[in-house]
Amino acid sequence: AMDGVENLEEGMGVLNRFRGPPLNALIADKEGKIAWTATGRIPIRKGFDGTSSESWADGSKAWIGYIPPDQLPRVVNPPSGFLVTANNRTLGKDYPYPIGYDFAVGYRAYRIHERLQAIERTTEPQMFSLQLDTTSHFFDFYRDLALRLLTEKTVHENPLLLQAKQAIEAWEGRADTESRGFGLLVRFRQILDKDVFDPFLTSCREADAAFSYVWHNRETPLRAMLSAEIPETNPDPEHYPNWDAFLLGKLTQAVNEIKEEYRGKAIEQLSWGDMNRAHIVEPLFGEIPLFGRLFKMPEDPLSGCLFCVRVSASSYGASERMVVSPGHDESGILHMPAGQSGHPLSPHYRDQHPYWVQGKPLPFLPGKAIHTLILKPAVGSSAR
């Protein structure tokens, strides 16, 4: 139905009536109008808000239909002149229906907004560069926290912490492969994320051994606790008399873990690329010893992190990067990991991978054909 729409309003009407899964949808028309809206059928809940499972047995809780298509959320022609969505919360509190709660933290969207605000006229190389942005404001908080703990007295008593301080002070605010100190901040935050909440989750794990606290918005209460340092919320008073002792203990733990895992490299020389390496494996055969190496991509150092625009982790990253302007396909750029062929013996099984890893542009349009694959039915078979 989108093939027949003439303008923005008609396009949003088609998207809002789509009954597939709820998704972000961005749309622009030839007049330069832009909009964000949502697809899918989203229930209207009575008696509960959807944040947890509830029994409907007594009739007080139920779904009372779905949000009408013309009442799904919309943002049209915002004053900024552009729209940003990175799985973050887009709606304000004035929208009458609950849509969701566990949105991704807004740091990636904020950085995209920063970059777009600074661009006067967009071009394909500029937008491609934006997708490769590794600035991570997210970890500024943990850098400042760590440096507050690493006083002259503290580093004098532990030379390893002096190395840690030098590494953190050298961090330039990005998640590049050559960035020093960033990996230590990532590990420090991971340890805090686990150990600050663990005491509050004991009863959950007693009720369900498989319980896992996977809540995107946990960063908000985590930072609130780390900033307030209320004595009664000290996660481990048995081993640490106060919050500062607890935090320094966890920073020391992060340093010791990294020192043990990456032997032979001084903390201040350890780069993010040493720690963040690709692990991209074919799901059926990739983990078979020796034989599986045919199916794996190289374990390259990766720029990016989970909280910057260039999202990446060892087994997680952008499945595609694409920049193309309608009518200007010849200037378009397309990226994907691995290669075009799924056959491990093909020269095209991993030939596009270095471009994806290194952030080098590849043309959107195909070049000259190198190989041709012809599929023929077996003798005696009937095509249907």
Side-chain angles (χ1 to χ4, degrees), residues 151-161 248:
T151 63
E152 283 190 30
K153 180 176 183 296
T154 299
V155 300
H156 179 73
E157 294 171 351
N158 187 339
L160 201 55
L161 290 182
L248 183 59

Side-chain angles (χ1 to χ4, degrees), residues 165-242:
K165 183 177 183 180
Q166 292 170 341
I168 293 170
E169 286 177 335
W171 181 51
E172 76 287 64
R174 296 190 298 273
D176 294 331
T177 53
E178 64 271 17
S179 296
R180 315 286 177 181
F182 181 65
L184 175 56
L185 294 175
V186 172
R187 182 64 60 89
F188 180 40
R189 187 256 174 192
Q190 288 172 341
I191 291 172
L192 289 176
D193 183 54
K194 175 183 179 298
D195 290 357
V196 167
F197 288 121
D198 263 1
F200 301 98
L201 304 176
T202 302
S203 58
C204 299
R205 295 197 174 101
E206 288 173 350
D208 180 3
F211 175 82
S212 178
Y213 182 49
V214 284
W215 185 253
H216 289 105
N217 286 328
R218 61 196 291 161
E219 189 65 21
T220 299
L222 175 61
R223 293 195 182 194
M225 294 175 71
L226 295 176
S227 299
E229 294 192 4
I230 299 171
E232 290 78 12
T233 61
N234 180 350
D236 191 1
E238 183 179 343
H239 297 97
Y240 303 101
N242 53 53

Side-chain angles (χ1 to χ4, degrees), residues 1-5 14 17:
M2 288 294 290
D3 287 346
V5 302
V14 171
R17 293 193 300 274

Side-chain angles (χ1 to χ4, degrees), residues 52-365:
S52 61
S53 300
E54 302 274 357
S55 171
W56 292 10
D58 63 0
S60 63
K61 302 174 182 66
W63 284 7
I64 50 174
Y66 296 90
I67 299 174
D70 61 354
Q71 294 181 36
L72 285 171
R74 294 180 173 188
V75 177
V76 182
N77 293 328
S80 64
F82 57 81
L83 289 159
V84 175
T85 175
N87 296 327
N88 56 297
R89 182 181 176 89
T90 308
L91 294 168
K93 292 183 178 180
D94 55 343
Y95 185 69
Y97 303 106
I99 294 289
Y101 298 91
D102 192 21
F103 299 98
V105 292
Y107 287 86
R108 295 180 68 239
Y110 174 77
R111 178 57 180 165
I112 296 170
H113 189 279
E114 272 191 330
R115 288 286 302 264
L116 290 177
Q117 202 168 33
I119 295 175
E120 292 185 5
R121 182 176 176 83
T122 57
T123 64
E124 287 84 355
Q126 281 179 323
M127 299 304 288
F128 183 62
S129 170
L130 170 55
Q131 294 191 37
L132 299 173
D133 188 279
T134 59
T135 297
S136 186
H137 297 299
F138 180 90
F139 285 96
D140 291 351
F141 175 89
Y142 295 96
R143 175 200 57 205
D144 296 343
L145 176 59
L147 291 177
R148 179 177 68 79
L149 298 167
L150 295 171
T151 63
E152 283 190 30
K153 180 176 183 296
T154 299
V155 300
H156 179 73
E157 294 171 351
N158 187 339
L160 201 55
L161 290 182
L162 176 59
Q163 294 182 27
K165 183 177 183 180
Q166 292 170 341
I168 293 170
E169 286 177 335
W171 181 51
E172 76 287 64
R174 296 190 298 273
D176 294 331
T177 53
E178 64 271 17
S179 296
R180 315 286 177 181
F182 181 65
L184 175 56
L185 294 175
V186 172
R187 182 64 60 89
F188 180 40
R189 187 256 174 192
Q190 288 172 341
I191 291 172
L192 289 176
D193 183 54
K194 175 183 179 298
D195 290 357
V196 167
F197 288 121
D198 263 1
F200 301 98
L201 304 176
T202 302
S203 58
C204 299
R205 295 197 174 101
E206 288 173 350
D208 180 3
F211 175 82
S212 178
Y213 182 49
V214 284
W215 185 253
H216 289 105
N217 286 328
R218 61 196 291 161
E219 189 65 21
T220 299
L222 175 61
R223 293 195 182 194
M225 294 175 71
L226 295 176
S227 299
E229 294 192 4
I230 299 171
E232 290 78 12
T233 61
N234 180 350
D236 191 1
E238 183 179 343
H239 297 97
Y240 303 101
N242 53 53
W243 266 98
D244 275 2
F246 171 81
L247 293 171
L248 183 59
K250 297 305 164 183
L251 180 56
T252 305
Q253 179 185 337
V255 173
N256 289 333
E257 285 183 4
I258 289 174
K259 184 70 175 175
E260 181 65 24
E261 288 177 33
Y262 301 93
R263 294 182 180 183
K265 276 220 171 188
I267 293 290
E268 72 272 22
Q269 294 300 318
L270 193 68
S271 72
W272 179 232
D274 293 325
M275 301 177 66
N276 192 44
R277 305 187 77 90
H279 184 71
I280 302 174
V281 182
E282 198 279 335
L284 295 179
F285 304 105
E287 297 290 4
I288 300 174
L290 298 179
F291 179 70
R293 286 188 296 181
L294 274 173
F295 296 88
K296 289 184 179 180
M297 294 299 115
E299 294 190 359
D300 298 295
L302 294 177
S303 292
C305 68
L306 295 178
F307 300 103
C308 56
V309 180
R310 186 173 183 168
V311 63
S312 84
S314 62
S315 56
Y316 182 82
S319 58
E320 181 183 291
R321 300 183 187 112
M322 185 173 71
V323 182
V324 62
S325 178
H328 300 279
D329 297 358
E330 71 284 352
S331 301
I333 300 168
L334 175 66
H335 256 191
M336 65 179 182
Q340 191 170 5
S341 172
H343 195 301
L345 298 181
S346 166
H348 306 295
Y349 183 64
R350 51 175 65 87
D351 62 345
Q352 297 185 25
H353 197 65
Y355 295 87
W356 180 83
V357 170
Q358 298 167 26
K360 295 180 178 180
L362 268 175
F364 172 72
L365 294 179

